[in-house]
Amino acid sequence: IAAMARAADSAAATPGWLRHVYDYDPLATARRVRTPLLILHGATDLQVTADQVPELVAAFREGGNRDVTSHVFPRTNHLFLEDASGVYSGYATLPSKVVQPEVLGMLADWVVLKLGGK
């Protein structure tokens, strides 16, 4: 773990896009967004963990956005595939590479609602 932390610190010190990723504060950007938002997240996502969802929702609302909807899908990974572990090295061996129908359904319903459809 210590070696991984040193490698990450070293990568963050290197100029370029990775440096931007380490320096970027998404919460500051979230506070400036005023459009309706739908945040969909997989509970087993290890790249952007589901425990970050409430913090992100709060940042949008702190900035004055009152139209923020969020949902975390159980047993769903970063790619919205069924995956109990979420370990990205196992993505290739997952039995299904199909996005969870519940994710697509919630997305479609939200878009229809926001566009005024029936």
Side-chain angles (χ1 to χ4, degrees), residues 10-59:
S10 175
T14 305
W17 73 268
L18 194 53
R19 178 76 194 164
H20 169 76
V21 169
Y22 278 94
D23 289 341
Y24 179 70
D25 180 6
L27 299 179
T29 300
R31 289 181 190 99
R32 296 192 311 262
V33 175
R34 303 291 185 271
T35 58
L37 283 163
L38 174 64
I39 300 169
L40 301 179
H41 208 94
T44 64
D45 187 339
L46 299 178
Q47 293 165 276
V48 183
T49 57
D51 63 339
Q52 296 174 43
V53 172
E55 185 179 12
L56 188 55
V57 168

Side-chain angles (χ1 to χ4, degrees), residues 97-115:
K97 308 296 188 287
V98 176
V99 172
Q100 294 284 67
E102 297 83 6
V103 174
L104 297 175
M106 187 169 284
L107 174 60
D109 290 347
W110 185 86
V111 169
V112 167
L113 177 71
K114 295 304 167 184
L115 293 179

